[in-house]
Amino acid sequence: MRKFFITLLIVLSCLPAMSQSCYWVFLTDKHGVTFDPYSYFDAKAIERYRLNGADLNDITNYPLNGSYVSQINAIATEEVGQSRWLNAMAVMATPDQISQIEQLAFVSSTQLIANEMQLASHKSTDYSDCSDVAEYSESSALSLSNQLLRMQGDLFRQKGIDGKGIRIAVFDGGFPRVNTHRAFKHLRESHRILDTWNFPNKKADVYGWNSHGLSTLSCITGIVGNQQLGLATGAEFLLYRTEVEAEPFKEEVWWMQAVERADQHGANLISSSLGYGKERYFTKDMDGTSYVAKAANMAARKGILVVNSAGNEADTRQWKTIITPADADSVLCVGGIESDNEHYRHIDFSSYGPSADGRLKPNVSAYGHALAATNGSDSATGWVYGTSFSCPLTSGFAACAWQVCSGKTAMEMMDLIQKSADLYPYFDYALGYGVPQASYFVNGSQVKAPTFQFSQDEENVYVNLLEDAQLATIFSNLQRPDGGLEHYSSVEYSNITTTDTICFSKAWIDSNTLNISYNGYTVSYRLQPSEIESVRSSVYHVGPYNAKTSSSMDYDYVYNRLPEDLVPEKWGKNAEWEGGFYLMYGLSIPIQASEKQVNFWSPTFHVGYRVMHALSKAYKIGLGLEYVRDNYNYPLDKANRLDNLFNVPQQGLDKKRFSRNELGVELFQRVRIVPSGGLFANGVHWDLGVYGSYGWSKYALYYDQISFATEASREYRNPSFIDNYRFNWGLTTRITYDWIGVYARYRMTHLTTSYDVDPFNPTGFKMELPRLEVGLQICF
């Protein structure tokens, strides 16, 4: 048995070397490759390239060298996909295979994407798949949902603006019922779904799988009965499935391939309610350097406006920030607000900015709680949650805006959409520039009338509204000289009058710029250089506070953020460091003949603390310290023979055992085998390691309380055949699901000093204490 476990340890340790992983293989050149852009690109793509001043014959558009591809495929296990833009292949390969590939003269480098160790199909979704069937009267006048009215979508409709002439590529996990649902009848009848491709399955059929895509598409273009769900009802569409339930890292490869296919087929706009965050990256990586972020930026250079969800990570303490590719500088990142036209509030789950390198994100916001088509029936609608839906609402808006500004480039449109937002030029890291407004494109840019006025004294700056208001939401931020925000807040005032005064301390403003926005009117205030030094010694309040108020005015901070409020925690499940206490309760399992002197039901108890450091999102190394109490129970018949050896009286015997106390240390590696999401709140992990312990033992007798009323127990320490003080070591492995798991440990050393002698029967077979222990673990 000992040899078996040593062999098992060697095999398990070698698994990483034998396992297949997904790699990017970057090539040095495209020598000998020919390319005809006019046969490759759709006519609309050619038109877009010319409008944006992009080069149709750019080397990034050329295919990969076919000979290079063949030689790599001859070594790799599987080709996942190719990227013209990166001049790279994604392959499944073992470390040995990737070493061979790296020796090829035309390979410039390789990059591990991630270990392909996904064993279950669970994915966290950010929508509610309600199946409320809504049957509307076709004869009724078409009405816009509130999610569209919030963006003044009625102004677009009055002008007949519906995104006509704009081609939108939608990336998602599937599009079930899109070929039958009433919400898309207008698309099918006019043949405006021009291209579909299922990248995971390598086929054209996308009408199945995850219904997330059904709902997001409806927020761009859906019409159910007399209810319009999205603004771009006249646009053309490309539908690409890039996601699978298990979420392997292949999805980022497929996302990149989808961008290139969208480019080829003439997309003006990409709507991506997808993103990659805490399961694959650390927050420091959200700086626009991921490969999908690079692909999104390249798409922008080729004239495609990429609209992407900010993410739903605001309430995740170890994340909070946006996801990629929303972190790319040329991507329109969309956050979420509550679906309440009376209140202007960030919805609690919408990710906060900025990007890891300090850039403004999100760029704009829209409803994060929307009415959408759902999968219950071919006319079903329901309420769905997430920035997955603020993104397509904005994509539909962008298509209509681009129809109005048909001569603009992608980056010009991104700038105009930001300027159209109702808070612009004010911004913060919760809402960006606010919600885009159609009036900016229909009526042109308007000078916004003042809604408040400034006054000041030596210590403070004061703000008074110009009109009384039952409800007033006032936004303010403190902007550093480098452009980043030191602080921002949103305060709702009820029953505020023109005599009520809101105060900002000059000492708090210091060398920064104070920006205040109310009802679309924004004013910036800076201290004069001569004032800064004189106020720095003053006492100040953080953010706005009330200096003079009426008896009826009340207020509530919707959010009041300092930089430290937005910094993700560095310790926890999704951080680089993780630690926690644990309890383990197990049983010693006799396996060998020499161990079967001991009862099967011999309990062991562990309490300890582990610390882990993440080398990647799928691999961690850890150290554990623990106290262990081992008990080895003996059946009475065998224990009685042991008593004879020690001349111990037999009457009233209840049970006997060896008890052992240990202090141990453990070194282990943790591999994620199922990512978090769905049923697996924190994923499923496999641990493998070694432990060492130093212990001391005793032999205990337990007597019947009735027979020996005056003496509950008597202990005999240091039995001669037990090595009382010694160091032991062994192997340990665990499978953990969220906070609970199962474990097994195998001790490689033995505890008896006279291993060849059975103290119960010196002339018989040898005796040993069990080496194998299995049980349950609970983590805190």
Side-chain angles (χ1 to χ4, degrees), residues 123-130 145-148 150-151 170-176 184 210-222 229-232 271-275 307-312 323 332-339 347 349-351 364-375 381-398 435-436:
K123 177 179 179 179
S124 176
T125 55
D126 59 3
Y127 66 98
S128 170
D129 191 16
C130 304
S145 54
N146 285 339
Q147 61 212 34
L148 305 184
R150 183 64 180 82
M151 298 186 286
V170 184
F171 300 174
D172 221 298
F175 301 89
F184 312 107
N210 197 318
S211 62
H212 190 261
L214 164 72
S215 299
T216 59
L217 181 62
S218 71
C219 288
I220 303 175
T221 188
L229 306 178
L231 288 172
S271 182
S272 170
S273 292
L274 307 167
V307 184
N308 208 97
S309 302
N312 305 322
I323 53 180
L332 189 70
C333 172
V334 185
I337 63 169
E338 292 185 0
S339 54
I347 201 164
F349 52 74
S350 180
S351 292
V364 295
S365 295
Y367 271 15
H369 178 210
L371 183 65
T374 56
N375 202 21
T381 61
W383 289 99
V384 291
Y385 292 83
T387 57
S388 282
F389 307 102
S390 59
C391 168
L393 289 172
T394 304
S395 296
F397 178 94
V435 180

Side-chain angles (χ1 to χ4, degrees), residues 152-191:
Q152 300 178 328
D154 53 324
L155 297 182
F156 280 145
R157 195 180 66 180
Q158 290 169 14
K159 298 290 185 179
I161 299 165
D162 59 4
K164 184 177 181 180
I166 304 301
R167 191 169 293 179
I168 304 173
V170 184
F171 300 174
D172 221 298
F175 301 89
R177 295 187 185 272
V178 169
N179 54 339
T180 60
H181 201 290
R182 291 173 60 198
F184 312 107
K185 180 181 177 182
H186 58 295
L187 297 185
R188 296 191 298 271
E189 288 181 345
S190 55
H191 307 289

Side-chain angles (χ1 to χ4, degrees), residues 73-203:
N73 281 334
I75 300 172
T77 302
E78 174 194 351
E79 178 185 321
V80 177
Q82 301 179 18
S83 170
R84 294 185 177 211
W85 293 2
L86 294 180
N87 192 24
M89 293 175 62
V91 300
M92 296 298 298
T94 65
D96 284 344
Q97 289 172 330
I98 208 67
S99 294
Q100 294 179 51
I101 290 172
E102 289 172 340
Q103 300 306 311
L104 298 173
F106 52 81
V107 172
S108 63
S109 64
T110 62
Q111 175 69 50
L112 176 68
I113 300 175
N115 291 327
E116 181 67 79
M117 298 190 71
Q118 315 300 336
L119 304 182
S121 297
H122 292 275
K123 177 179 179 179
S124 176
T125 55
D126 59 3
Y127 66 98
S128 170
D129 191 16
C130 304
S131 299
D132 303 324
V133 177
E135 296 289 349
Y136 299 99
S137 170
E138 295 288 356
S139 61
S140 303
L142 192 66
S143 63
L144 270 67
S145 54
N146 285 339
Q147 61 212 34
L148 305 184
L149 293 174
R150 183 64 180 82
M151 298 186 286
Q152 300 178 328
D154 53 324
L155 297 182
F156 280 145
R157 195 180 66 180
Q158 290 169 14
K159 298 290 185 179
I161 299 165
D162 59 4
K164 184 177 181 180
I166 304 301
R167 191 169 293 179
I168 304 173
V170 184
F171 300 174
D172 221 298
F175 301 89
R177 295 187 185 272
V178 169
N179 54 339
T180 60
H181 201 290
R182 291 173 60 198
F184 312 107
K185 180 181 177 182
H186 58 295
L187 297 185
R188 296 191 298 271
E189 288 181 345
S190 55
H191 307 289
R192 284 189 280 121
I193 299 178
L194 304 182
D195 185 50
T196 62
W197 193 252
N198 185 331
F199 287 91
N201 296 88
K202 296 180 173 61
K203 60 182 181 181

Side-chain angles (χ1 to χ4, degrees), residues 411-480:
M411 294 311 297
E412 287 172 339
M413 283 308 304
M414 180 174 172
D415 182 58
L416 289 174
I417 291 168
Q418 291 179 131
K419 288 180 177 177
S420 79
D422 55 7
L423 295 179
Y424 186 88
Y426 173 88
F427 73 90
D428 62 36
Y429 297 145
L431 304 174
Y433 289 111
V435 180
Q437 301 293 291
S439 57
Y440 182 89
F441 297 95
V442 173
N443 301 325
S445 177
Q446 303 289 321
V447 177
K448 297 174 181 177
T451 57
F452 60 89
Q453 63 183 5
F454 270 118
S455 60
Q456 61 179 311
D457 58 24
E458 291 183 357
E459 295 184 351
N460 300 303
V461 175
Y462 303 103
V463 172
N464 293 87
L465 301 192
L466 297 180
E467 294 183 0
D468 296 350
Q470 290 186 344
L471 180 67
T473 302
I474 297 179
F475 298 90
S476 63
N477 70 37
L478 202 60
Q479 189 173 9
R480 298 188 302 268

Side-chain angles (χ1 to χ4, degrees), residues 120-125 173 209-210 241 243-248 251:
S121 297
H122 292 275
K123 177 179 179 179
S124 176
T125 55
W209 299 276
N210 197 318
R241 179 179 181 241
E243 308 290 298
V244 297
E245 292 292 332
E247 280 214 51
E251 289 181 346

Side-chain angles (χ1 to χ4, degrees), residues 224-241:
V224 179
N226 69 328
Q227 186 85 354
Q228 185 172 336
L229 306 178
L231 288 172
T233 55
E236 300 172 327
F237 289 89
L238 315 171
L239 305 182
Y240 298 139
R241 179 179 181 241

